[in-house]
Amino acid sequence: MSDGIGLAEQLLGLDGFKVLGVTEGEHELVIAVETTASVTGCWSCGVLAECQDRVRVDIRDLACFGRPARLVWSKRRRRCREVECPVKTWTERSVHVPPRALLTCRAGIEACRQVGELARPVSGVADELGVCWWTVMHAVERHGRPLVDDPARVGPVVALGVDETSFLKANREHPTIYATGLVDLDGKKVIDVVEGNAAKDLRRSCAGTDEKWLKAVKVVATDLAESYRAGLSSHLDHAVRVADPFHVVRVANRCLDTVRRRVQNELLGHRGRKDDPLYRIRKLLVSGAERLDERGSSRMLLGLRLGDPDDAVLGAWLAKESVREVYLTDDPAVAAVLLDKVIVGCLADEVPEIRSLGNTLKAWRPEILNHHRTGASNGPTEGLNLCVKKVKRAGHGFVSFEHYRLRVLLHADGVTWPSRPKPPRIRTSSPHSNA
Ligand SMILES: [Zn+2]
């Protein structure tokens, strides 16, 4: 039935298969195939097997010359002729089609690449291939999991960043569900995403990690979350803990915001409205002092004059600015002096929120100063957040954390995708050639 010169097989490009016929369907190309192995022995005893009957299997392959392609594999069911043999019948297999799969390996890998590397929605890829959502997701799992589990994806890590990211937004059934991202701060690579943000979640993840790999970690940067500090304990006690500068300043900004809202409420008896003096300067307050121009500064001072009779907001603003000043120096000794001044000042303040800021800073003093000793910060985890955002947008909400994790890690750098042929360019187009 084949064309006899192997032209059709060459086009198909699946060795071990013979093309029986090609028909043009309404929206697809239908290619009838069978394997070339017409004679074979029993896989158990080796006695020559006979073909009992055939099973028709429909498989989706990569599109062919712009048309979706369907392989119709007329699969032989074989029977062992040996009466004593425990094996009765079996159907043929091929390395190009995983057992029970609806996609050929090459189509499955491409679907995985589209969903993982390019962060495309599963439904879009499924539509294109003419299969259901689950078929594509199974292909992503089948071909993507080995790539994610590959030990070469994450080599030894010296500086580890731990950052919180949200997994599911709050709804009627549950509050916001968080996840914890682990990032290689030097390589700027996402290492893993762990479900939850509690100490036990991090501890569970550490417990499942290679002891030697953990020992190689020298620095860990986190935000000021007690749960992370506790969660890293015992497994990563040998590493230098760093409180991420961005998060330290954010704690001071939050303190300022809380004081502003309270004072506003006490003075006016309602939450901030657009004409309230403090509400109007809320953004000026949290921007860095050096970023305010003259007009900004006078607007801020006017707002404080009108809305802050006891100078509580001003006090919180000064505290925030002095926290930021700790990062103006690279010298650990100078930073220690500055930080101690902030802590003493905050603890002596009349405003309870500022005293509480002082307590937080005091509790994290070694970690805050370790930034100056190591230079580590969670800046590179920005890559994690971008990655998470893209995957979330493609996913339109996730049900399974495992799927979410797999897609985030496939989209992150570090995955070694199977190589694809890079076609040579046919002609360098010159802007003048078609004039
Ligand atoms: Zn047999």
Side-chain angles (χ1 to χ4, degrees):
M1 283 261 258
S2 171
D3 59 13
I5 51 171
L7 214 56
E9 285 72 23
Q10 216 173 338
L11 279 173
L12 182 67
L14 292 176
D15 54 308
F17 278 100
K18 198 160 100 184
V19 175
L20 301 175
V22 179
T23 45
E24 178 113 45
E26 201 179 342
H27 299 291
E28 62 183 356
L29 211 58
V30 182
I31 302 141
V33 295
E34 66 173 12
T35 62
T36 49
S38 48
V39 182
T40 182
C42 165
W43 59 265
S44 171
C45 67
V47 166
L48 194 71
E50 61 184 11
C51 179
Q52 177 176 289
D53 57 359
R54 300 245 188 177
V55 197
R56 176 192 152 129
V57 186
D58 288 62
I59 309 148
R60 182 63 72 193
D61 199 0
L62 290 174
C64 168
F65 298 119
R67 289 164 292 182
R70 176 200 296 260
L71 300 183
V72 178
W73 180 8
S74 169
K75 225 176 188 180
R76 294 181 184 89
R77 188 161 23 215
R78 298 189 193 271
R79 191 177 54 213
C80 181
R81 283 178 178 167
E82 177 56 56
V83 195
E84 302 280 300
C85 180
V87 176
K88 301 289 177 238
T89 63
W90 69 95
T91 48
E92 293 180 298
R93 290 191 170 188
S94 163
V95 287
H96 299 297
V97 185
R100 287 181 301 281
L102 293 179
L103 297 173
T104 56
C105 274
R106 60 187 183 188
I109 290 170
E110 184 54 28
C112 178
R113 189 196 300 274
Q114 296 280 336
V115 171
E117 192 177 25
L118 307 180
R120 285 189 57 199
V122 173
S123 54
V125 177
D127 273 357
E128 243 166 56
L129 283 168
V131 292
C132 75
W133 190 95
W134 277 105
T135 303
V136 170
M137 199 58 223
H138 281 318
V140 174
E141 285 188 298
R142 187 192 297 266
H143 301 285
R145 192 147 324 264
L147 302 177
V148 163
D149 292 342
D150 179 7
R153 185 179 65 88
V154 182
V157 170
V158 176
L160 178 69
V162 179
D163 211 350
E164 182 184 85
T165 117
S166 77
F167 165 48
L168 289 179
K169 271 196 191 148
N171 65 12
R172 261 183 236 170
E173 275 101 52
H174 58 74
T176 306
I177 297 179
Y178 290 97
T180 301
L182 307 178
V183 176
D184 173 1
L185 294 178
D186 294 326
K188 302 193 170 145
K189 265 194 300 199
V190 182
I191 298 166
D192 206 348
V193 189
V194 180
E195 192 169 10
N197 62 347
K200 64 170 173 28
D201 301 317
L202 210 50
R203 228 173 268 142
R204 189 188 55 225
S205 154
C206 285
T209 309
D210 178 25
E211 202 56 40
K212 252 170 130 183
W213 186 89
L214 285 172
K215 278 276 171 289
V217 175
K218 297 278 175 272
V219 176
V220 186
T222 65
D223 61 14
L224 278 64
E226 221 36 77
S227 63
Y228 285 162
R229 185 148 67 176
L232 293 168
S233 255
S234 86
H235 292 285
L236 279 159
D237 280 341
H238 59 277
V240 178
R241 306 286 186 79
V242 177
D244 175 50
F246 169 79
H247 287 98
V248 174
V249 173
R250 198 171 69 174
V251 168
N253 270 329
R254 283 202 178 144
C255 161
L256 170 58
D257 257 340
T258 324
V259 177
R260 174 185 58 79
R261 268 197 291 263
R262 177 174 59 77
V263 170
Q264 200 165 257
N265 233 319
E266 283 171 2
L267 203 69
L268 303 167
H270 56 72
R271 287 179 53 177
R273 292 179 190 162
K274 74 177 185 353
D275 290 328
D276 295 346
L278 286 181
Y279 188 78
R280 288 178 64 164
I281 60 167
R282 69 194 186 285
K283 282 184 183 150
L284 292 173
L285 285 169
V286 291
S287 24
E290 73 285 348
R291 290 177 61 193
L292 296 179
D293 56 9
E294 211 173 305
R295 197 170 151 265
S297 317
S298 14
R299 269 185 60 207
M300 194 178 88
L301 286 175
L302 182 68
L304 286 174
R305 178 92 30 100
L306 291 172
D308 183 32
D310 302 323
D311 287 344
V313 181
L314 180 64
W317 183 83
L318 288 171
K320 182 261 294 184
E321 280 304 312
S322 30
V323 170
R324 295 182 66 239
E325 273 161 23
V326 174
Y327 294 105
L328 290 181
T329 176
D330 292 329
D331 186 336
V334 178
V337 173
L338 290 173
L339 181 61
D340 287 337
K341 274 192 179 170
V342 184
I343 294 175
V344 171
C346 286
L347 290 178
D349 209 284
E350 290 168 8
V351 181
E353 291 91 343
I354 300 180
R355 279 204 303 278
S356 145
L357 171 67
N359 279 322
T360 308
L361 295 174
K362 194 173 147 191
W364 289 86
R365 184 182 178 277
E367 285 89 348
I368 295 172
L369 294 176
N370 277 342
H371 164 74
H372 295 79
R373 293 202 187 96
T374 60
S377 79
N378 261 351
T381 56
E382 202 46 41
L384 162 77
N385 295 325
L386 277 177
C387 187
V388 161
K389 249 186 211 164
K390 264 191 100 173
V391 170
K392 272 192 184 159
R393 199 169 302 153
H396 300 295
F398 283 85
V399 180
S400 147
F401 181 81
E402 262 317 300
H403 287 170
Y404 171 71
R405 172 177 176 270
L406 182 62
R407 287 171 68 179
V408 168
L409 295 182
L410 282 175
H411 187 56
D413 285 342
V415 175
T416 314
W417 291 95
S419 65
R420 272 199 296 190
K422 238 190 151 179
R425 194 173 293 182
I426 289 186
R427 186 175 57 200
T428 311
S429 64
S430 138
H432 305 294
S433 66
N434 42 6

